[in-house]
Amino acid sequence: MSVRPVRIGPVVVGASEFVVVAGPCAIESHERFDKIASLVGRAGATILRGGIHKLRTRPDSFQGLGDPAIAIVRAVRERTGMPFITEITDAQQVEALDPVVDAYQVGSRNMHNYALLKELGRAGKPVILKRGFCGRIDEWLHAAEYLVRAGTDDVILCERGIRTFETAMRNTLDLACVPYVKERSSFPVLVDPSHGTGIPSLIAPMSLAAAAAGADGIMVEVHDEPTLALSDGEQALTPAMFDELIARLEPVLGAIRRPLARESLKA
Ligand code: PEP
Ligand code: MN
């Protein structure tokens, strides 16, 4: 089916250009988020990501800065001109997040949270719907339909790996789902090889494969000092690895005639 493109700020996902979403798993401080934003923006990312409210497996893990991160995002988004996406974990967060968020991310743990989906469908912003780690493709498409029925056509799917018998990698990245859902729906599709593999050296090859499989873009986690990261440091790309990823991606994008989206940064 033909893709219905979704606009996130000045960036269009699902058109001819391939979109790279990058940033830290979680926003940790103004200084660090600002630095990572500049690094990924200069290297080729056009959309900035960063967790404000984190859903962590362990209750004693860093849960995100929460509301104090909003002022950080406002400043960094304004300085760089990059549109910003973040996970929303509770519909009550809409009011606070709305002024600084260009698209909401529904995390893997919330794909089945229909109350949240119904609220987000009415929130007036595009939604990136991650696949549940135990979510079948039909359930994922039905979840997307909840958003559409609630009032938005601006839905992007994001494959981020599923839980299988295989434990060598954090998840099993299901790249066949990309052409599969594209044959059956008109939602643009992103691939998140960071959570999909959990292994930095696999992120570039899976990004190239995602592009070749027809994904409209990728979402990757980047940290300037992964060993110090407060969440998902073990899977974070360093800025140098992110540069290399973009360099390896470009010939593949050339071969499939899908140029990398590049928005000029203010700074
Ligand atoms: C994330 O993108 O930081 C995240 C928590 O992803 P997921 O919901 O796919 O686990
Ligand atoms: Mn993460």
Side-chain angles (χ1 to χ4, degrees), residues 25 49 54-55 87 105-109 130-131 160 170 192 195 219 221 232:
C25 180
R49 63 151 285 150
K54 298 301 300 178
L55 293 179
E87 179 171 353
Q105 176 177 322
V106 175
S108 187
R109 291 165 183 77
K130 285 200 158 194
R131 181 175 176 184
R160 49 77 74 205
R170 183 174 181 183
D192 170 355
H195 295 89
M219 180 187 315
E221 291 185 346
D232 284 351

PDB file of all heavy atoms in Angstrom, residues 25 49 54-55 87 105-109 130-131 160 170 192 195 219 221 232, ligand 1:
ATOM      1  N   CYS A  25      19.292   7.737  25.355  1.00  0.00           N
ATOM      2  CA  CYS A  25      18.137   7.020  25.894  1.00  0.00           C
ATOM      3  C   CYS A  25      17.357   7.959  26.805  1.00  0.00           C
ATOM      4  O   CYS A  25      16.157   8.134  26.646  1.00  0.00           O
ATOM      5  CB  CYS A  25      18.603   5.776  26.666  1.00  0.00           C
ATOM      6  SG  CYS A  25      17.247   4.831  27.369  1.00  0.00           S
ATOM      7  N   ARG A  49      15.857  12.636  19.843  1.00  0.00           N
ATOM      8  CA  ARG A  49      15.114  11.869  20.837  1.00  0.00           C
ATOM      9  C   ARG A  49      15.769  12.049  22.204  1.00  0.00           C
ATOM     10  O   ARG A  49      16.957  12.394  22.299  1.00  0.00           O
ATOM     11  CB  ARG A  49      15.055  10.384  20.496  1.00  0.00           C
ATOM     12  CG  ARG A  49      16.391   9.669  20.467  1.00  0.00           C
ATOM     13  CD  ARG A  49      16.267   8.179  20.826  1.00  0.00           C
ATOM     14  NE  ARG A  49      16.051   8.000  22.245  1.00  0.00           N
ATOM     15  CZ  ARG A  49      15.373   6.994  22.782  1.00  0.00           C
ATOM     16  NH1 ARG A  49      14.873   6.058  22.026  1.00  0.00           N
ATOM     17  NH2 ARG A  49      15.222   6.913  24.098  1.00  0.00           N
ATOM     18  N   LYS A  54      11.104   7.590  32.037  1.00  0.00           N
ATOM     19  CA  LYS A  54      11.600   6.281  31.611  1.00  0.00           C
ATOM     20  C   LYS A  54      10.839   5.157  32.320  1.00  0.00           C
ATOM     21  O   LYS A  54      10.604   5.228  33.529  1.00  0.00           O
ATOM     22  CB  LYS A  54      13.098   6.136  31.931  1.00  0.00           C
ATOM     23  CG  LYS A  54      14.008   7.127  31.235  1.00  0.00           C
ATOM     24  CD  LYS A  54      13.922   7.068  29.716  1.00  0.00           C
ATOM     25  CE  LYS A  54      14.295   5.728  29.132  1.00  0.00           C
ATOM     26  NZ  LYS A  54      14.139   5.728  27.652  1.00  0.00           N
ATOM     27  N   LEU A  55      10.484   4.138  31.552  1.00  0.00           N
ATOM     28  CA  LEU A  55       9.878   2.938  32.139  1.00  0.00           C
ATOM     29  C   LEU A  55      10.986   1.903  32.271  1.00  0.00           C
ATOM     30  O   LEU A  55      11.393   1.301  31.290  1.00  0.00           O
ATOM     31  CB  LEU A  55       8.758   2.406  31.240  1.00  0.00           C
ATOM     32  CG  LEU A  55       7.520   3.277  31.112  1.00  0.00           C
ATOM     33  CD1 LEU A  55       6.515   2.638  30.169  1.00  0.00           C
ATOM     34  CD2 LEU A  55       6.879   3.530  32.465  1.00  0.00           C
ATOM     35  N   GLU A  87       9.119   9.628  24.791  1.00  0.00           N
ATOM     36  CA  GLU A  87       8.084   8.678  25.201  1.00  0.00           C
ATOM     37  C   GLU A  87       7.152   9.329  26.218  1.00  0.00           C
ATOM     38  O   GLU A  87       7.596  10.012  27.135  1.00  0.00           O
ATOM     39  CB  GLU A  87       8.734   7.422  25.809  1.00  0.00           C
ATOM     40  CG  GLU A  87       7.679   6.412  26.262  1.00  0.00           C
ATOM     41  CD  GLU A  87       8.238   5.049  26.676  1.00  0.00           C
ATOM     42  OE1 GLU A  87       9.442   4.810  26.506  1.00  0.00           O
ATOM     43  OE2 GLU A  87       7.435   4.242  27.171  1.00  0.00           O
ATOM     44  N   GLN A 105       6.139   9.385  21.539  1.00  0.00           N
ATOM     45  CA  GLN A 105       6.524   7.983  21.346  1.00  0.00           C
ATOM     46  C   GLN A 105       5.744   7.139  22.354  1.00  0.00           C
ATOM     47  O   GLN A 105       5.724   7.449  23.542  1.00  0.00           O
ATOM     48  CB  GLN A 105       8.031   7.865  21.590  1.00  0.00           C
ATOM     49  CG  GLN A 105       8.594   6.474  21.532  1.00  0.00           C
ATOM     50  CD  GLN A 105      10.115   6.493  21.728  1.00  0.00           C
ATOM     51  OE1 GLN A 105      10.799   7.407  21.237  1.00  0.00           O
ATOM     52  NE2 GLN A 105      10.640   5.529  22.438  1.00  0.00           N
ATOM     53  N   VAL A 106       5.101   6.099  21.850  1.00  0.00           N
ATOM     54  CA  VAL A 106       4.498   5.102  22.739  1.00  0.00           C
ATOM     55  C   VAL A 106       5.493   3.962  22.847  1.00  0.00           C
ATOM     56  O   VAL A 106       5.873   3.362  21.839  1.00  0.00           O
ATOM     57  CB  VAL A 106       3.149   4.589  22.190  1.00  0.00           C
ATOM     58  CG1 VAL A 106       2.602   3.459  23.070  1.00  0.00           C
ATOM     59  CG2 VAL A 106       2.141   5.730  22.118  1.00  0.00           C
ATOM     60  N   GLY A 107       5.942   3.684  24.056  1.00  0.00           N
ATOM     61  CA  GLY A 107       6.974   2.674  24.244  1.00  0.00           C
ATOM     62  C   GLY A 107       6.435   1.264  24.108  1.00  0.00           C
ATOM     63  O   GLY A 107       5.216   1.024  24.139  1.00  0.00           O
ATOM     64  N   SER A 108       7.372   0.351  23.954  1.00  0.00           N
ATOM     65  CA  SER A 108       7.024  -1.053  23.755  1.00  0.00           C
ATOM     66  C   SER A 108       6.101  -1.584  24.856  1.00  0.00           C
ATOM     67  O   SER A 108       5.171  -2.346  24.593  1.00  0.00           O
ATOM     68  CB  SER A 108       8.331  -1.849  23.728  1.00  0.00           C
ATOM     69  OG  SER A 108       8.112  -3.166  23.394  1.00  0.00           O
ATOM     70  N   ARG A 109       6.356  -1.146  26.090  1.00  0.00           N
ATOM     71  CA  ARG A 109       5.556  -1.647  27.220  1.00  0.00           C
ATOM     72  C   ARG A 109       4.129  -1.133  27.197  1.00  0.00           C
ATOM     73  O   ARG A 109       3.275  -1.630  27.924  1.00  0.00           O
ATOM     74  CB  ARG A 109       6.226  -1.249  28.540  1.00  0.00           C
ATOM     75  CG  ARG A 109       7.538  -1.980  28.793  1.00  0.00           C
ATOM     76  CD  ARG A 109       8.325  -1.298  29.909  1.00  0.00           C
ATOM     77  NE  ARG A 109       9.624  -1.926  30.120  1.00  0.00           N
ATOM     78  CZ  ARG A 109      10.684  -1.748  29.321  1.00  0.00           C
ATOM     79  NH1 ARG A 109      10.597  -0.970  28.251  1.00  0.00           N
ATOM     80  NH2 ARG A 109      11.819  -2.337  29.594  1.00  0.00           N
ATOM     81  N   LYS A 130       5.689   2.203  19.076  1.00  0.00           N
ATOM     82  CA  LYS A 130       6.639   1.086  19.095  1.00  0.00           C
ATOM     83  C   LYS A 130       5.890  -0.239  19.199  1.00  0.00           C
ATOM     84  O   LYS A 130       4.813  -0.313  19.801  1.00  0.00           O
ATOM     85  CB  LYS A 130       7.603   1.262  20.259  1.00  0.00           C
ATOM     86  CG  LYS A 130       8.649   2.335  19.984  1.00  0.00           C
ATOM     87  CD  LYS A 130       9.822   2.152  20.881  1.00  0.00           C
ATOM     88  CE  LYS A 130      11.065   2.789  20.333  1.00  0.00           C
ATOM     89  NZ  LYS A 130      12.256   2.313  21.045  1.00  0.00           N
ATOM     90  N   ARG A 131       6.499  -1.244  18.639  1.00  0.00           N
ATOM     91  CA  ARG A 131       5.893  -2.569  18.724  1.00  0.00           C
ATOM     92  C   ARG A 131       6.133  -3.156  20.112  1.00  0.00           C
ATOM     93  O   ARG A 131       7.246  -3.082  20.647  1.00  0.00           O
ATOM     94  CB  ARG A 131       6.535  -3.482  17.673  1.00  0.00           C
ATOM     95  CG  ARG A 131       5.956  -4.878  17.665  1.00  0.00           C
ATOM     96  CD  ARG A 131       6.539  -5.667  16.525  1.00  0.00           C
ATOM     97  NE  ARG A 131       6.093  -7.044  16.536  1.00  0.00           N
ATOM     98  CZ  ARG A 131       6.525  -7.962  15.682  1.00  0.00           C
ATOM     99  NH1 ARG A 131       7.421  -7.611  14.756  1.00  0.00           N
ATOM    100  NH2 ARG A 131       6.093  -9.187  15.742  1.00  0.00           N
ATOM    101  N   ARG A 160      11.097  -2.502  17.175  1.00  0.00           N
ATOM    102  CA  ARG A 160      12.192  -2.369  18.137  1.00  0.00           C
ATOM    103  C   ARG A 160      12.615  -3.717  18.706  1.00  0.00           C
ATOM    104  O   ARG A 160      13.258  -3.792  19.743  1.00  0.00           O
ATOM    105  CB  ARG A 160      11.822  -1.377  19.250  1.00  0.00           C
ATOM    106  CG  ARG A 160      10.494  -1.603  19.878  1.00  0.00           C
ATOM    107  CD  ARG A 160      10.421  -2.742  20.854  1.00  0.00           C
ATOM    108  NE  ARG A 160      11.083  -2.415  22.109  1.00  0.00           N
ATOM    109  CZ  ARG A 160      11.598  -3.299  22.938  1.00  0.00           C
ATOM    110  NH1 ARG A 160      11.495  -4.600  22.673  1.00  0.00           N
ATOM    111  NH2 ARG A 160      12.191  -2.915  24.051  1.00  0.00           N
ATOM    112  N   ARG A 170      19.582  -8.578  22.933  1.00  0.00           N
ATOM    113  CA  ARG A 170      18.556  -8.090  23.873  1.00  0.00           C
ATOM    114  C   ARG A 170      17.157  -8.468  23.388  1.00  0.00           C
ATOM    115  O   ARG A 170      16.290  -8.826  24.180  1.00  0.00           O
ATOM    116  CB  ARG A 170      18.694  -6.565  24.008  1.00  0.00           C
ATOM    117  CG  ARG A 170      17.734  -5.959  24.997  1.00  0.00           C
ATOM    118  CD  ARG A 170      17.995  -4.477  25.227  1.00  0.00           C
ATOM    119  NE  ARG A 170      17.056  -3.952  26.212  1.00  0.00           N
ATOM    120  CZ  ARG A 170      16.984  -2.689  26.579  1.00  0.00           C
ATOM    121  NH1 ARG A 170      17.817  -1.792  26.066  1.00  0.00           N
ATOM    122  NH2 ARG A 170      16.089  -2.305  27.474  1.00  0.00           N
ATOM    123  N   ASP A 192      14.236   0.537  15.149  1.00  0.00           N
ATOM    124  CA  ASP A 192      15.115   0.891  16.270  1.00  0.00           C
ATOM    125  C   ASP A 192      16.068  -0.277  16.526  1.00  0.00           C
ATOM    126  O   ASP A 192      15.745  -1.204  17.261  1.00  0.00           O
ATOM    127  CB  ASP A 192      14.247   1.184  17.504  1.00  0.00           C
ATOM    128  CG  ASP A 192      15.064   1.323  18.785  1.00  0.00           C
ATOM    129  OD1 ASP A 192      16.290   1.103  18.766  1.00  0.00           O
ATOM    130  OD2 ASP A 192      14.456   1.635  19.831  1.00  0.00           O
ATOM    131  N   HIS A 195      17.479  -0.853  20.632  1.00  0.00           N
ATOM    132  CA  HIS A 195      16.768  -1.797  21.504  1.00  0.00           C
ATOM    133  C   HIS A 195      16.602  -3.149  20.806  1.00  0.00           C
ATOM    134  O   HIS A 195      16.497  -4.174  21.459  1.00  0.00           O
ATOM    135  CB  HIS A 195      15.410  -1.226  21.921  1.00  0.00           C
ATOM    136  CG  HIS A 195      15.547   0.005  22.764  1.00  0.00           C
ATOM    137  ND1 HIS A 195      15.625   1.258  22.215  1.00  0.00           N
ATOM    138  CD2 HIS A 195      15.675   0.165  24.103  1.00  0.00           C
ATOM    139  CE1 HIS A 195      15.784   2.148  23.183  1.00  0.00           C
ATOM    140  NE2 HIS A 195      15.819   1.520  24.336  1.00  0.00           N
ATOM    141  N   MET A 219      15.758   4.797  14.389  1.00  0.00           N
ATOM    142  CA  MET A 219      15.902   5.523  15.646  1.00  0.00           C
ATOM    143  C   MET A 219      17.026   4.868  16.430  1.00  0.00           C
ATOM    144  O   MET A 219      16.976   3.662  16.682  1.00  0.00           O
ATOM    145  CB  MET A 219      14.608   5.470  16.466  1.00  0.00           C
ATOM    146  CG  MET A 219      14.772   6.229  17.750  1.00  0.00           C
ATOM    147  SD  MET A 219      13.424   6.116  18.929  1.00  0.00           S
ATOM    148  CE  MET A 219      11.989   6.332  17.970  1.00  0.00           C
ATOM    149  N   GLU A 221      20.145   5.187  19.688  1.00  0.00           N
ATOM    150  CA  GLU A 221      20.600   5.854  20.914  1.00  0.00           C
ATOM    151  C   GLU A 221      22.089   6.167  20.836  1.00  0.00           C
ATOM    152  O   GLU A 221      22.898   5.297  20.500  1.00  0.00           O
ATOM    153  CB  GLU A 221      20.296   4.971  22.124  1.00  0.00           C
ATOM    154  CG  GLU A 221      18.804   4.880  22.378  1.00  0.00           C
ATOM    155  CD  GLU A 221      18.405   4.122  23.637  1.00  0.00           C
ATOM    156  OE1 GLU A 221      19.256   3.417  24.221  1.00  0.00           O
ATOM    157  OE2 GLU A 221      17.233   4.225  24.032  1.00  0.00           O
ATOM    158  N   ASP A 232      20.660   2.423  29.543  1.00  0.00           N
ATOM    159  CA  ASP A 232      21.002   1.817  28.248  1.00  0.00           C
ATOM    160  C   ASP A 232      22.382   2.193  27.705  1.00  0.00           C
ATOM    161  O   ASP A 232      22.586   2.220  26.478  1.00  0.00           O
ATOM    162  CB  ASP A 232      19.916   2.135  27.191  1.00  0.00           C
ATOM    163  CG  ASP A 232      18.654   1.281  27.391  1.00  0.00           C
ATOM    164  OD1 ASP A 232      18.692   0.349  28.221  1.00  0.00           O
ATOM    165  OD2 ASP A 232      17.654   1.557  26.705  1.00  0.00           O
TER     166      ASP A 232
HETATM  167  C1  PEP B   1      13.354   3.927  24.358  1.00  0.00           C
HETATM  168  O1  PEP B   1      13.206   4.218  23.158  1.00  0.00           O
HETATM  169  O2  PEP B   1      14.146   4.502  25.107  1.00  0.00           O
HETATM  170  C2  PEP B   1      12.599   2.784  24.899  1.00  0.00           C
HETATM  171  C3  PEP B   1      12.388   2.660  26.194  1.00  0.00           C
HETATM  172  O3  PEP B   1      12.204   1.925  23.960  1.00  0.00           O
HETATM  173  P1  PEP B   1      11.210   0.680  24.057  1.00  0.00           P
HETATM  174  O4  PEP B   1       9.906   1.219  24.496  1.00  0.00           O
HETATM  175  O5  PEP B   1      11.237   0.173  22.660  1.00  0.00           O
HETATM  176  O6  PEP B   1      11.824  -0.287  25.047  1.00  0.00           O
END
